Amino acid sequence: MATFFGEVVVAPSRAGLDEEEEAREETPEDREIRREIEKKRYEAQAGHQGEVDVLWSWRSGGCAEEPLVCSRFIVAIGRNAAAFLSSFILDSVCWEVVGVVKLWNEWCRTSSTTNVLPTDSFCLFYRLISDPTVLLCQCSCYVAEDQQFQWLEKVFGSMQKKGLQVTILSTCPVADYKTQESTLTLVSPFLRALKTKEFQEQVCCPLLEQPNIVRDLPAA
């Protein structure tokens, strides 16, 4: 349970449910739709393992199981957040591309190449040249609900967790923001934050007010 509103807490995930338990909660129509989606994804990925693949350039040589030492990991999710990184942070020669996420779903299809830098990738990882422990991720593609756990598992499974600080940047329409004020009087864009109890530094903006919530991959 959260000790205050605005704290990020770990909630039970349906990703760990076995197929038998999940099937008992599905209607026949739900199962049929799920089968069709899985069939299309399987056909599109012919010859490839898994729906989400993470490729790192540093793993092309050396130990494939060696975790990446990372002190700060900043993830921009969505086109607006990714554009913010491009305009204000990545517009310099201080960064190098070190990885990519490849996936296929109804709204995002990357190529079948095994190159670490596919030209049509929508999810790239950058490393700060002066401090290789600082990592950025631009994720402007749609990650389906049933792919989010796999995305997290594979991305964070490659990193050393000790001493890792993760910052997520995302956006949502002002119309979705719940407030007693009129949204017409709000000065946009504006910032709100969520944080875990482990984060002891000063937050750069007010915390997100009730009853607003974060959804999809940022929430995961």
Side-chain angles (χ1 to χ4, degrees), residues 5-7 177 190-194 205-214:
F5 183 81
E7 178 183 1
Y177 181 65
F190 57 89
L191 292 175
R192 293 295 184 268
L194 295 173
C205 60
L207 294 178
L208 187 66
E209 307 90 343
Q210 299 187 44
N212 294 284
I213 61 174
V214 176

Side-chain angles (χ1 to χ4, degrees), residues 42 52 71 88 97 136:
Y42 177 79
V52 178
S71 61
F88 296 100
V97 179
L136 299 181

Side-chain angles (χ1 to χ4, degrees), residues 37-135:
I37 291 176
E38 290 175 350
K39 180 181 177 182
K40 289 180 180 179
R41 289 182 183 172
Y42 177 79
E43 292 173 349
Q45 300 176 90
H48 294 275
Q49 296 285 331
E51 298 174 358
V52 178
D53 290 318
V54 181
L55 304 176
W56 299 96
S57 60
W58 93 88
R59 286 194 169 182
S60 59
C63 179
E65 299 301 323
E66 181 182 355
L68 175 66
V69 177
C70 185
S71 61
R72 291 179 181 267
F73 184 37
I74 301 174
V75 187
I77 300 176
R79 296 185 181 277
N80 291 332
F84 175 82
L85 279 190
S86 294
S87 300
F88 296 100
I89 299 179
L90 292 171
D91 190 20
S92 69
V93 294
C94 300
W95 302 88
E96 61 178 345
V97 179
V98 293
V100 63
V101 173
K102 291 159 44 61
L103 55 83
W104 187 98
N105 58 46
E106 293 66 54
W107 300 100
C108 176
R109 304 180 185 185
T110 59
S111 69
S112 59
T113 178
T114 57
N115 191 339
V116 75
L117 301 177
T119 55
D120 62 342
S121 173
F122 301 100
C123 188
L124 290 174
F125 296 94
Y126 297 83
R127 184 164 57 186
L128 186 61
I129 296 176
S130 60
D131 184 357
T133 68
V134 177
L135 214 64

Side-chain angles (χ1 to χ4, degrees), residues 7-8 23 27 30 39 49 54 65 67 91 116 148 159 166-167 172 178 185 191 198 203 205 220:
E7 178 183 1
V8 178
T27 65
D30 291 336
K39 180 181 177 182
Q49 296 285 331
V54 181
E65 299 301 323
D91 190 20
V116 75
Q148 291 169 11
M159 300 180 185
V166 181
T167 302
C172 69
K178 298 176 177 60
T185 62
L191 292 175
E198 285 80 12
V203 181
C205 60

